Amino acid sequence: MAFTLASATELLEEIKKSRFLTRAFPINSVEQAEEIIETVRKEEATHHCYAWKFHQNYRFNDDGEPTGTAGKPILNAIEGRNCDCVLVIVTRWFGGVKLGTGGLVRAYGGGAARALQNAELVELVDWQNLTFHCPFNLLPIIENEVQNFLAQIENRHFDDSGCELTLRLPKAEQQNFIDWLKDKSSGKILIDRENSHSDMSF
């Protein structure tokens, strides 16, 4: 089970005279993550270290801090909270006192972890689109039943013999719905799997 942020959040901390501002964002694409990073980088600060995770893709950057002391600890914090589709940027304003490698790991990774702990998380759902044709007599039954499978009707297209429906439903409910539909239609309704696709969102 994976989670993302309900909304952007931030946490400001002071550690041995350095200020650390942790900002965490929900992201809908890799491109969105890069756009946010470029915007934040325009702010004057000593370092803008970050990590993001978007499904199978991830990236982290130490932005001038010693290798392995910032970006990777931030990514570890994201993964430690079972988060996905999340970007975390930790901005540092150096206060004149060096923290050492261990101190940096604790500052960056700890700040990211605390920000995510304080954030409101929402479960990411793997949604599946299913398209099928049903006769007129079954349409009201299906329309009344879809909510029991946490499904939503995305599109209706009527023709002389009935209606082509496209549903959006959680992948975990897909087989249950197909079995129910097969039973209700006595096996006459076929699912168009070739036109189905999935996406992760909340």
Side-chain angles (χ1 to χ4, degrees):
M1 184 181 299
F3 299 88
T4 191
L5 302 179
S7 60
T9 187
E10 63 179 47
L11 173 71
L12 180 62
E13 300 176 300
E14 183 172 319
I15 302 172
K16 293 185 177 180
K17 298 185 178 180
S18 283
R19 285 188 300 136
F20 291 84
L21 175 61
T22 300
R23 284 169 280 191
F25 307 85
I27 55 173
N28 295 316
S29 66
V30 171
E31 291 74 20
Q32 184 185 19
E34 297 297 339
E35 288 173 4
I36 295 172
I37 292 166
E38 287 305 311
T39 298
V40 170
R41 274 180 167 167
K42 295 175 183 177
E43 302 172 4
E44 289 191 11
T46 314
H47 305 281
H48 295 295
C49 306
Y50 67 84
W52 55 257
K53 186 174 187 299
F54 189 76
H55 305 326
Q56 303 303 316
N57 302 303
Y58 65 89
R59 184 172 297 170
F60 55 88
N61 191 301
D62 295 313
D63 194 34
E65 293 283 30
T67 301
T69 62
K72 190 61 162 61
I74 296 170
L75 180 63
N76 289 341
I78 293 172
E79 294 177 333
R81 289 286 286 166
N82 292 323
C83 286
D84 196 358
C85 303
V86 166
L87 161 67
V88 178
I89 304 174
V90 183
T91 299
R92 181 189 186 188
W93 291 269
F94 182 55
V97 178
K98 293 184 177 181
L99 301 183
T101 55
L104 290 172
V105 170
R106 288 189 293 273
Y108 284 103
R114 287 185 288 274
L116 293 174
Q117 286 169 1
N118 294 336
E120 180 184 354
L121 301 180
V122 291
E123 184 180 353
L124 275 169
V125 178
D126 189 359
W127 294 96
Q128 186 82 28
N129 276 18
L130 293 179
T131 300
F132 58 91
H133 190 278
C134 71
F136 288 114
N137 66 309
L138 284 180
L139 182 58
I141 298 173
I142 294 171
E143 289 177 329
N144 289 332
E145 192 72 19
V146 291
Q147 61 186 356
N148 293 328
F149 298 95
L150 307 177
Q152 303 166 353
I153 297 176
E154 294 283 287
N155 190 42
R156 295 177 177 87
H157 179 71
F158 293 94
D159 57 29
D160 293 339
S161 59
C163 180
E164 183 181 80
L165 284 175
T166 298
L167 299 186
R168 186 171 186 258
L169 75 167
K171 191 173 183 178
E173 292 288 344
Q174 175 183 310
Q175 192 58 51
N176 292 333
F177 177 77
I178 291 174
D179 291 343
W180 174 85
L181 191 62
K182 183 178 179 180
D183 180 65
K184 280 294 177 184
S185 68
S186 300
K188 295 178 181 178
I189 294 180
L190 300 176
I191 298 294
D192 184 2
R193 291 180 177 272
E194 290 185 1
N195 290 331
S196 68
H197 68 275
S198 63
D199 66 276
M200 291 283 287
S201 58
F202 55 92

